[in-house]
Structure formats: C-alpha cells, structure tokens
Amino acid sequence: TAMAAKGGGINDTTIKTADTDSDLQPIEYKTLNWYKVDISRVVVFYFLGFLSLGILQLVSYWFPRVKCFIIGQRCEARSATHAMIRDLDNDWNLIKIHSVHFNN
C-alpha cells in the first residue's frame, strides 16, 4: 500500500510503500494528475456520505476518482496534496503526498 509520494515532475515521481521503509521505489504509471484537497469539500463529501447512509463512501472506495472529483481541484505538482495515479493495470489510486523540504 502506498504511504507517501514525492516528485516535482511527472518523470521523477516515486512512492514509498509499507513493504520498503528504507528507500523510495519508482512506480510505473499511465496517467498522473495532481490535486489539492479543499477542507470545505471534504466536509461536504462526508455530509453527503452521511445522507446516503455510507453509499457514497462505498462508491468512492471502489472508484477513487469519484472522491477526488468531489474533494479535490486539479493543480500543479508543487501545490498538490494528493496524486491520482492510473497504473499499468488501469487501476486508479488516490495517494496523499507528504512533502519533505530541505534547507539549502
């Protein structure tokens, strides 16, 4: 399972998996989209999920693009909080980005 993603451009994107805690491993993908999550949209998402008796959360679990469509806005990589990745098996994954900043 993916725990962290990092990268400034599409070609240098890597993810850290729960199986390998030491180094970041490269990932192969077909599509990579960057999203910034808005907290007000997250509140609306969970409110709609409550009204639908959890059906919205179930659908968004099966189809992560639904959740991303509701809670996120597309943006550039440097301001993104999440990445939507379609892998080589055509599976979509929504991954939270953990940024690491280094002092020069």
Side-chain angles (χ1 to χ4, degrees), residues 32-82:
L32 173 63
N33 298 320
W34 303 103
Y35 290 89
K36 185 171 186 171
V37 171
D38 183 12
I39 191 68
S40 62
R41 289 178 169 218
V42 173
V43 170
V44 169
F45 173 75
Y46 284 107
F47 180 72
L48 292 174
F50 177 76
L51 291 179
S52 68
L53 302 175
I55 292 174
L56 180 61
Q57 275 80 7
L58 183 62
V59 169
S60 68
Y61 177 78
W62 290 332
F63 305 102
R65 293 178 70 189
V66 171
K67 182 176 183 179
C68 194
F69 176 76
I70 296 172
I71 69 169
Q73 295 177 345
R74 285 190 75 167
C75 65
E76 38 181 58
R78 68 180 61 157
S79 62
T81 58
H82 289 73

Side-chain angles (χ1 to χ4, degrees), residues 64-104:
R65 293 178 70 189
V66 171
K67 182 176 183 179
C68 194
F69 176 76
I70 296 172
I71 69 169
Q73 295 177 345
R74 285 190 75 167
C75 65
E76 38 181 58
R78 68 180 61 157
S79 62
T81 58
H82 289 73
M84 178 62 72
I85 299 173
R86 182 173 61 162
D87 60 20
L88 297 177
D89 296 327
N90 287 326
D91 294 328
W92 288 92
N93 299 292
L94 182 61
I95 299 174
K96 182 169 176 48
I97 299 172
H98 299 277
S99 299
V100 178
H101 301 283
F102 298 99
N103 294 333
N104 293 334

